[in-house]
Amino acid sequence: MAAQIQYAGLDAALDAWQAALGADAVISDPETLTARSRATFATANTTHAILRPANTRQVQRCVEIARHFQIPVYPVSTGRNWGYGSMALPGLGGVVLLLDRMDRILDYDEELGTVTVEPGVTQRQLQEFLAANGDRYWLDVTGSSPHCSVLGNSIERGFGHTPYADHFAHMSGLQVVTGDGTLLDTGFGRFENARAASAYKWGVGPYLDGLFSQSGLGVVTAARLWLMPKPEAFTYFQVSIRDDGELEPLIDALRELRMAGHIRSAVHVANPFKVYSAMESYPWEQMNGETPLDPDIVRAHLDRLGIGAWSFSGGLYGSRDQIRVAKKAIRRRLRASLDVCQMRFISAERLAMLERFKGPLGRLTRLPLDQMLAFMRALFGIKQGVPTDAMLPSTYWRKRAPAPPDPDPDRDGCGLFWCAPVAPLKGADARAMVAIANEVFARHGFEPMLSMTVISERALDNVIALHYDRDIPGEDARAMACYEELLERLMDAGYYPYRLGIQSMEALRARSGAAWNHTLGRIRQALDPDGILAPGRYPP
Amino acid sequence: MAAQIQYAGLDAALDAWQAALGADAVISDPETLTARSRATFATANTTHAILRPANTRQVQRCVEIARHFQIPVYPVSTGRNWGYGSMALPGLGGVVLLLDRMDRILDYDEELGTVTVEPGVTQRQLQEFLAANGDRYWLDVTGSSPHCSVLGNSIERGFGHTPYADHFAHMSGLQVVTGDGTLLDTGFGRFENARAASAYKWGVGPYLDGLFSQSGLGVVTAARLWLMPKPEAFTYFQVSIRDDGELEPLIDALRELRMAGHIRSAVHVANPFKVYSAMESYPWEQMNGETPLDPDIVRAHLDRLGIGAWSFSGGLYGSRDQIRVAKKAIRRRLRASLDVCQMRFISAERLAMLERFKGPLGRLTRLPLDQMLAFMRALFGIKQGVPTDAMLPSTYWRKRAPAPPDPDPDRDGCGLFWCAPVAPLKGADARAMVAIANEVFARHGFEPMLSMTVISERALDNVIALHYDRDIPGEDARAMACYEELLERLMDAGYYPYRLGIQSMEALRARSGAAWNHTLGRIRQALDPDGILAPGRYPP
């Protein structure tokens, strides 16, 4: 592991930061720093301090001091970027600017469904705020923890489940501190009296928000977000097709349904490993403690549940009439070209009925209805903007013990890489990505957990999870080798990730081409002449 | 009028450009330059030459030569930016880089509905291309000429009529020549083998496209666009409400209908002057040659047609079932809170029937059905992506003679300013903008033509046209005074324009604030160290 850079001015800088923020807001004890440098894969322990500013003015002061002492600062919202590096640094030294104390919800407009949030606002906090304030809007949440930052995910261009799944598309202006200490408001927000700052995304003149998304070009201290109007009705659907060979027509059918507006939200298409792992923990006994998991065990389990080779779920949002029309069109289109072995549309009423009769139904069908309903409830909630803890235990997939009541994948040695390549929304491209993932995982001894998300009318994002146990000696290196080969193979085939972990930043730079690296390098120099803001994050 | 800047190296630069492009592609005769410096309002005649490169390589050469001789270049797609300055310069000297010869359509993907176009591709060209190649997708067009550039409008963030009305939102990557001559491809396009460049908007790392929209930061030489899937059915609607006092509940109802997804496209809300001018030419006889137009004449005319104080039109796109559900919801919502005096839903079948029986129907109703149907046909077409010449004659509103068969507002002295402030989609804000426009226009002796466009779930863009006759001595100055006061008053009230003409760039700079001007200035310096790309366009 590479050595941490030592900065001559570090002690003086720490003094200055303490003077600016208060002693409690500057964390520099080695134990905490080591703990907070851990991620879900091997990272270098290179963080010199964690600064926790309370407001934008303090953020500016932190950046000024960093400039003065030439010490890099890495902004982080709540630090829960699991699978992508958590809050570890991509570089060999610097301090983390942890923005979790800036957790105010500002400027809620109930008529327009817009809200301004600081980086520390969590999914649960905002969802509960909306529920308590009129219950007119839903948040689009991710499957990650309720304690994750809304703003952080949005500027990292994460996505969720509803018609507002593309988080960056549903932002309307940022407040940013750039590397030279300037406090900038973008879009119409640059005019103090602008009425439409939250209502209109682009402003006038160049649109600058994109610069501060997936970058180290600024510290985003507030963002204006659009919220989904709560629909009159909601229906969750889950469908499964029997044959693996029908993946291509399935993806093509989903494209047609999205293009025709029958489906308007994200759809998640899961392979058998993904479905199995969502319902069961690793069957250590059946596997005699061995890995990787035998696909026949998975197959046998899913056969009992009537689940086929590919399963997908999504939500329908709208008036009762709109949903009725959509259901009819979806049923017809899927049945026309696919061997559908399961198709369920579940409204709130139907879910309540299932809950009520799960006893007799379970005995009748011999299905583990309790477990199935618990999972369905979580998905049902997520697709209505209610964040859940239910997905986090899946990061313990390869651990011998089940997840504790307070899961923390970084602390507990849960190994996890996300690799999320984007493809055109075409059957042939989906197949090509699946083939690469299956081949690479099999060779390295891991199970490919695939959740291919239809994120728009045109794009498919194959969210691939690589789970392992960091406590097994050598496993960090084996998993990293698998991940790196996977990413390279996918990029060789033209499938680039929508987002990257700290371990892959140099791989990105190497492929970005001279024109991109030159232009982005010039912009970085212009906004951050000392190069102290998050060097190495989405370089140059 | 300010004097044109003289460049010492101009003759040598012209020689170099001629050597690079061929003599025919460098226009420098004073007559043509004077003609092409004319706009629909007073402009300085400051263009030294017009360069017409044939390809991206030649664009790069043009920029290199401009840098060498330190002469500004102003990229223009087809030069039809009427109402915003046409192809005149915002500065006091420089050459126009006219990209109309670069008119190739590249990379049409019939499955995804994506296309790559050069700046010279016109609305008609692309629409005809789509119709001839499977007729599976529609273009979202503006009401301007069929000969306008698709790319130019998109990077200027223009909007149209369909669910794809927000043109910049429906782009997925650009090819750009920056001021230092770099040829940059954005989004996933920076990776040569990327499969999803046209399918996914954001790419990985910072999203840079916004920099090249409404800016002089680069010459966009190609753009990837998303096309609207042709729906199973289409219905045009037009509605009118009786009382001016119901503007507020009307706008609020439209917001609710958009938020609920019953309306998914742009809706254009017109005031009586706008409706009248769309159907009639200026009634010079009735007005005894006077201006401005007497509102009573307008009122009397609209009363005969059963048209009230505010009228709006839009389109419903989808399956027959989806449209049926939407019609029902729209009818119910509007009737619930508004005094609706006209509500028509017109499908292709119904329009054909009206055409067939217009003779007897016209005699029966005593309405000018020929004229009404001609206008309806044009709107019907526009909302299905068919560009039309039918709107251009409206620029001759204040001229004594009707538009010639080959209308050219720049040549014919048609006076026109567009001023298009954005507001939150709320009744009270709509009212505030209308009050300002009415008051300022009345005082200056012009008719406010208002088309308030619902461009999204949250934003209203009040597209205000100021028409006048440039051939009347003093009218240029009177119209400019009206326009400038209008813009200032709107901005004072918090309503900033979504786009600006060349005459207002300094007004924008003055209000943008130190942080914005500093940051954008630094970026400009980074990408264009010699400051030769379109200085003064959306400054700094």
Side-chain angles (χ1 to χ4, degrees):
Chain A
M1 201 157 290
Q4 189 187 31
I5 294 173
Q6 297 308 316
Y7 300 99
L10 183 62
D11 289 339
L14 288 172
D15 287 345
W17 281 318
Q18 282 185 7
L21 310 184
D24 286 357
V26 178
I27 301 166
S28 58
D29 70 285
E31 223 164 290
T32 309
L33 294 181
T34 302
R36 302 303 298 263
S37 294
R38 276 172 70 89
T40 60
F41 47 82
T43 49
N45 182 7
T46 53
T47 303
H48 289 92
I50 298 171
L51 316 179
R52 296 179 65 216
N55 54 51
T56 299
R57 183 68 205 104
Q58 290 192 353
V59 170
Q60 286 181 284
R61 277 296 294 147
C62 287
V63 171
E64 281 162 21
I65 294 165
R67 276 188 85 180
H68 182 79
F69 292 100
Q70 298 281 305
I71 298 173
V73 281
Y74 291 85
V76 153
S77 295
T78 60
R80 293 183 174 80
N81 199 16
W82 297 308
Y84 293 110
S86 303
M87 55 184 272
L89 306 189
L92 295 179
V95 300
V96 166
L97 200 59
L98 180 59
L99 305 171
D100 61 342
R101 286 173 70 201
M102 295 175 61
D103 61 355
R104 289 179 305 162
I105 297 172
L106 311 157
D107 280 345
Y108 174 46
D109 185 323
E110 238 191 310
E111 278 180 290
L112 292 184
T114 61
V115 74
T116 305
V117 296
E118 292 185 326
V121 172
T122 67
Q123 299 199 100
R124 174 162 292 156
Q125 182 188 353
L126 184 50
Q127 182 259 323
E128 289 180 348
F129 172 87
L130 293 174
N133 284 273
D135 195 23
R136 292 178 58 178
Y137 296 94
W138 286 351
L139 181 65
D140 186 281
V141 297
T142 70
S144 192
S145 160
H147 305 299
C148 286
S149 163
V150 173
L151 185 154
N153 185 269
S154 298
I155 59 164
E156 197 66 10
R157 299 201 295 263
F159 52 86
H161 296 75
T162 74
Y164 279 50
D166 182 344
H167 294 171
F168 186 69
H170 292 89
M171 305 183 85
S172 177
L174 309 172
Q175 193 186 59
V176 187
V177 175
T178 61
D180 68 1
T182 303
L183 177 63
L184 179 74
D185 208 323
T186 68
F188 280 141
R190 77 178 190 261
F191 309 108
E192 265 178 38
N193 67 336
R195 299 269 310 149
S198 290
Y200 185 71
K201 189 179 181 70
W202 312 119
V204 60
Y207 167 75
L208 299 187
D209 297 28
L211 286 177
F212 307 107
S213 158
Q214 289 189 3
S215 86
L217 294 171
V219 185
V220 180
T221 54
R224 294 184 281 274
L225 309 179
W226 293 338
L227 305 162
M228 181 177 54
K230 180 181 171 180
E232 178 190 307
F234 165 75
T235 290
Y236 164 80
F237 62 85
Q238 58 182 45
V239 182
S240 191
I241 62 166
R242 201 174 313 274
D243 299 329
D244 176 65
E246 287 192 344
L247 175 63
E248 288 90 333
L250 168 63
I251 297 296
D252 292 334
L254 290 174
R255 184 183 67 244
E256 286 174 35
L257 287 167
R258 273 219 62 148
M259 285 225 174
H262 296 303
I263 298 177
R264 297 188 183 274
S265 56
V267 174
H268 298 265
V269 183
N271 72 346
F273 283 124
K274 184 78 184 180
V275 176
Y276 182 93
S277 72
M279 294 186 295
E280 300 286 327
S281 52
Y282 195 95
W284 290 115
E285 274 193 38
Q286 226 179 326
M287 286 296 300
N288 298 316
E290 302 274 296
T291 60
L293 176 54
D294 182 351
D296 289 343
I297 292 179
V298 173
R299 191 67 271 152
H301 182 81
L302 298 188
D303 279 347
R304 274 195 300 280
L305 302 176
I307 293 173
W310 292 98
S311 305
F312 63 94
S313 69
L316 302 176
Y317 303 80
S319 68
R320 282 170 216 288
D321 281 348
Q322 286 172 330
I323 289 180
R324 190 176 33 74
V325 165
K327 271 164 67 173
K328 191 175 112 183
I330 293 168
R331 275 210 182 91
R332 188 188 302 158
R333 178 61 190 86
L334 295 178
R335 291 242 159 86
S337 64
L338 299 164
D339 183 5
V340 175
C341 54
Q342 195 174 87
M343 173 149 36
R344 294 193 178 123
F345 291 89
I346 298 164
S347 61
E349 297 77 22
R350 186 145 176 230
L351 185 63
M353 209 180 63
L354 284 172
E355 300 269 11
R356 199 168 149 204
F357 297 109
K358 68 184 172 186
L361 269 174
R363 286 188 292 277
L364 199 71
T365 57
R366 299 192 181 193
L367 291 173
L369 273 193
D370 252 338
Q371 195 184 358
M372 287 167 72
L373 278 170
F375 187 67
M376 202 182 282
R377 250 194 320 271
L379 276 181
F380 202 85
I382 281 189
K383 286 174 202 286
Q384 296 183 62
V386 182
T388 177
D389 279 315
M391 305 295 160
L392 207 49
S394 74
T395 55
Y396 290 72
W397 168 250
R398 280 284 195 103
K399 302 297 287 185
R400 294 292 171 138
D406 62 330
D408 180 341
D410 293 333
R411 177 197 64 203
D412 294 338
C414 302
L416 172 63
F417 285 97
W418 290 115
C419 180
V422 181
L425 185 52
K426 296 180 182 183
D429 288 285
R431 174 64 70 193
M433 290 194 298
V434 169
I436 291 169
N438 284 346
E439 196 272 315
V440 173
F441 273 70
R443 199 147 30 72
H444 287 266
F446 299 99
E447 308 85 23
M449 310 260 185
L450 308 183
S451 172
M452 290 195 282
T453 305
V454 176
I455 46 172
S456 70
E457 284 82 354
R458 294 174 176 81
L460 185 72
D461 194 329
N462 189 355
V463 183
I464 305 171
L466 193 174
H467 291 287
Y468 69 101
D469 183 354
R470 294 200 63 201
D471 291 334
I472 298 174
E475 201 79 337
D476 266 341
R478 282 192 292 274
M480 183 69 88
C482 177
Y483 164 81
E484 284 181 343
E485 187 185 337
L486 177 68
L487 180 64
E488 289 295 322
R489 287 278 304 279
L490 286 165
M491 294 195 295
D492 285 346
Y495 305 109
Y496 288 82
Y498 90 98
R499 171 182 182 181
L500 272 180
I502 56 168
Q503 79 284 12
S504 298
M505 295 300 175
E506 288 306 318
L508 183 69
R509 189 208 297 262
R511 288 187 184 246
S512 289
W516 179 270
N517 287 337
H518 164 74
T519 302
L520 188 52
R522 295 279 302 172
I523 294 172
R524 189 175 288 274
Q525 216 168 19
L527 300 189
D528 177 14
D530 296 286
I532 52 100
L533 252 194
R537 190 180 278 180
Y538 295 101
Chain B
M1 200 157 288
Q4 188 187 32
I5 294 173
Q6 296 308 317
Y7 300 98
L10 182 63
D11 288 341
L14 288 172
D15 286 346
W17 281 318
Q18 282 186 8
L21 310 183
D24 286 356
V26 179
I27 300 165
S28 57
D29 70 285
E31 223 165 290
T32 309
L33 294 181
T34 302
R36 301 303 297 264
S37 293
R38 276 172 71 89
T40 60
F41 49 80
T43 49
N45 182 7
T46 53
T47 304
H48 289 92
I50 297 170
L51 316 178
R52 296 179 66 217
N55 53 51
T56 299
R57 183 68 205 106
Q58 289 192 354
V59 170
Q60 286 181 284
R61 278 296 294 147
C62 287
V63 171
E64 282 162 22
I65 294 165
R67 276 189 84 179
H68 183 80
F69 292 100
Q70 298 280 303
I71 298 173
V73 280
Y74 291 85
V76 152
S77 295
T78 60
R80 293 182 175 80
N81 199 16
W82 297 309
Y84 292 109
S86 304
M87 55 184 273
L89 305 189
L92 295 178
V95 300
V96 166
L97 202 59
L98 180 59
L99 305 171
D100 61 341
R101 286 173 69 201
M102 295 175 61
D103 62 355
R104 288 179 305 162
I105 297 170
L106 311 157
D107 280 344
Y108 174 47
D109 186 323
E110 238 191 311
E111 277 180 290
L112 292 184
T114 61
V115 74
T116 305
V117 296
E118 292 185 326
V121 172
T122 66
Q123 298 199 101
R124 174 161 292 155
Q125 182 188 354
L126 184 50
Q127 182 260 323
E128 289 180 348
F129 171 87
L130 294 174
N133 284 274
D135 195 23
R136 291 178 58 177
Y137 297 94
W138 286 352
L139 182 63
D140 186 281
V141 297
T142 69
S144 191
S145 159
H147 305 299
C148 286
S149 163
V150 173
L151 185 154
N153 185 268
S154 298
I155 59 164
E156 198 66 8
R157 301 202 293 264
F159 52 85
H161 296 74
T162 74
Y164 279 50
D166 182 344
H167 295 170
F168 186 69
H170 292 89
M171 305 183 85
S172 177
L174 308 172
Q175 193 186 61
V176 187
V177 175
T178 62
D180 68 1
T182 304
L183 177 63
L184 179 74
D185 209 324
T186 68
F188 281 141
R190 76 178 191 261
F191 309 108
E192 264 178 38
N193 67 336
R195 298 271 309 151
S198 290
Y200 185 72
K201 187 178 182 69
W202 312 118
V204 60
Y207 168 74
L208 299 186
D209 297 28
L211 286 178
F212 306 108
S213 158
Q214 290 190 3
S215 87
L217 294 171
V219 185
V220 180
T221 54
R224 294 183 281 274
L225 310 179
W226 293 338
L227 305 161
M228 180 177 54
K230 180 181 172 178
E232 178 190 306
F234 166 75
T235 291
Y236 163 79
F237 62 85
Q238 57 182 44
V239 182
S240 192
I241 63 166
R242 201 173 313 273
D243 298 330
D244 175 65
E246 287 193 345
L247 175 64
E248 289 89 333
L250 168 62
I251 296 297
D252 292 335
L254 290 174
R255 183 183 67 244
E256 285 174 36
L257 286 167
R258 273 220 61 149
M259 285 225 173
H262 296 303
I263 297 177
R264 296 189 183 274
S265 55
V267 174
H268 298 265
V269 184
N271 72 346
F273 283 124
K274 185 78 183 180
V275 176
Y276 182 92
S277 73
M279 294 187 294
E280 299 288 326
S281 52
Y282 195 93
W284 290 113
E285 274 193 38
Q286 227 178 325
M287 285 295 300
N288 298 314
E290 302 275 296
T291 60
L293 177 54
D294 182 351
D296 289 342
I297 292 178
V298 174
R299 190 67 271 150
H301 182 80
L302 298 188
D303 280 347
R304 275 196 299 280
L305 302 176
I307 293 174
W310 292 99
S311 306
F312 64 92
S313 69
L316 302 175
Y317 303 79
S319 69
R320 282 169 216 288
D321 281 347
Q322 286 172 329
I323 289 180
R324 191 176 32 74
V325 165
K327 272 165 68 173
K328 190 174 113 185
I330 293 168
R331 275 211 183 91
R332 188 189 303 157
R333 178 63 189 82
L334 294 178
R335 291 242 159 87
S337 64
L338 299 165
D339 182 5
V340 174
C341 54
Q342 194 174 86
M343 175 151 32
R344 294 195 178 120
F345 291 89
I346 298 165
S347 61
E349 296 77 21
R350 184 142 177 233
L351 184 63
M353 209 180 63
L354 283 172
E355 301 268 9
R356 201 169 146 201
F357 296 110
K358 68 183 172 188
L361 269 174
R363 285 188 292 277
L364 199 71
T365 57
R366 297 193 182 192
L367 292 173
L369 273 192
D370 252 340
Q371 197 184 356
M372 287 168 72
L373 278 170
F375 186 66
M376 202 182 281
R377 251 194 320 270
L379 275 182
F380 202 86
I382 282 188
K383 286 172 201 288
Q384 296 184 61
V386 182
T388 175
D389 279 314
M391 306 296 160
L392 207 49
S394 73
T395 56
Y396 290 72
W397 169 250
R398 280 286 195 102
K399 303 298 285 185
R400 294 292 171 138
D406 63 329
D408 180 340
D410 293 333
R411 178 197 63 202
D412 294 338
C414 302
L416 172 63
F417 286 97
W418 290 116
C419 180
V422 182
L425 185 52
K426 296 181 182 183
D429 288 285
R431 174 64 71 193
M433 291 194 297
V434 169
I436 292 170
N438 285 346
E439 196 272 315
V440 173
F441 273 70
R443 200 148 31 71
H444 288 265
F446 299 98
E447 306 86 24
M449 311 259 185
L450 309 183
S451 172
M452 290 195 282
T453 305
V454 176
I455 46 174
S456 71
E457 285 81 356
R458 293 172 177 80
L460 184 71
D461 194 329
N462 190 355
V463 182
I464 305 171
L466 193 175
H467 291 287
Y468 69 103
D469 183 354
R470 295 200 62 203
D471 292 333
I472 297 174
E475 202 79 338
D476 266 342
R478 282 192 293 274
M480 183 69 88
C482 177
Y483 164 81
E484 284 181 344
E485 188 187 335
L486 177 69
L487 180 64
E488 289 296 323
R489 287 278 303 279
L490 287 164
M491 293 195 297
D492 285 345
Y495 303 110
Y496 288 81
Y498 91 98
R499 169 182 182 182
L500 273 180
I502 57 168
Q503 78 284 13
S504 299
M505 296 300 175
E506 287 307 316
L508 182 69
R509 189 208 298 260
R511 288 188 183 247
S512 289
W516 179 271
N517 287 338
H518 163 75
T519 302
L520 187 53
R522 295 279 303 172
I523 294 172
R524 189 176 288 274
Q525 215 169 21
L527 300 190
D528 177 15
D530 296 286
I532 52 99
L533 252 193
R537 191 180 277 181
Y538 296 101

